[in-house]
Amino acid sequence: MSASRKGRKDALRCNFTSLRQAARHVSRFYDAHLAATGLGTNQYTILANLVLHGPMTMSEMTSLLILDRATLGHNLRPLERDGLLTITIGKIDRREREVRLTDKGLRLEAEARPHWELAQALFEREFGENNALAMRQTMYRIARLGLVGPDGKLAVS
């Protein structure tokens, strides 16, 4: 067996590689559809979740998006800089930071939503509605697995 065929066969057996390849491929597709709005998929996801759930603390957002705090901060800074959201001291716990959409952020999310919805529709048309639903259900389950690292701790953010 050639080295390239063996490598391909090994890659097909690797859960991590398969997940990352699919994620990169689909991210590029969604990014292309959102490009006209100036938002990337990570930025749109944050805005859309703030529209859906309302203001939330950074801790709540890290749990919802399954991101570590540093990555969330990296994604929030440009949105805050561009006036799309505000980050303020928490009302209940002053150690927390609350993230809230601005009017400008609400408008941009509304402008971007049809681009996102078109990408959703095209993906489902290509992949199949039932397959897309099954994929989302499977990804939901995977994101909540109790995976434990070599240190015995759960591999969560």
Side-chain angles (χ1 to χ4, degrees):
M1 179 181 305
S2 73
S4 64
R5 285 190 60 162
K6 184 179 184 312
R8 182 174 179 273
K9 188 175 180 181
D10 289 346
L12 292 175
R13 289 187 34 84
C14 177
N15 299 317
F16 177 79
T17 300
S18 295
L19 284 166
R20 291 298 295 253
Q21 287 173 337
R24 282 191 295 269
H25 183 62
V26 174
S27 291
R28 287 183 193 122
F29 171 74
Y30 276 79
D31 278 333
H33 281 275
L34 288 169
T37 68
L39 292 173
T41 52
N42 292 333
Q43 294 170 320
Y44 179 76
T45 298
I46 289 169
L47 297 182
N49 274 285
L50 286 168
V51 167
L52 182 63
H53 300 288
M56 65 182 86
T57 66
M58 288 182 72
S59 293
E60 291 168 332
M61 191 171 279
T62 60
S63 293
L64 178 69
L65 300 176
I66 310 179
L67 289 173
D68 61 80
R69 194 172 173 102
T71 302
L72 178 63
H74 175 76
N75 284 299
L76 291 177
R77 278 190 289 280
L79 297 172
E80 182 183 32
R81 178 200 64 220
D82 295 344
L84 302 173
L85 54 79
T86 60
I87 303 172
T88 58
I89 295 172
K91 292 177 180 168
I92 297 170
D93 183 346
R94 297 185 57 77
R95 295 171 297 180
E96 273 290 354
R97 297 296 174 257
E98 184 177 86
V99 182
R100 176 182 303 270
L101 275 179
T102 62
D103 290 341
K104 183 178 178 182
L106 282 167
R107 286 191 303 271
L108 185 55
E109 190 280 334
E111 177 189 327
R113 189 177 318 123
H115 298 274
W116 184 267
E117 289 172 350
L118 176 60
Q120 287 279 99
L122 291 172
F123 178 87
E124 287 189 3
R125 186 177 75 203
E126 184 69 24
F127 192 56
E129 278 185 49
N130 291 336
N131 286 336
L133 175 60
M135 177 206 60
R136 288 191 305 273
Q137 291 169 334
T138 299
M139 293 297 115
Y140 181 88
R141 286 180 43 226
I142 289 170
R144 283 144 188 87
L145 288 175
L147 299 175
V148 177
D151 60 0
K153 294 181 182 176
L154 280 177
V156 296
S157 54

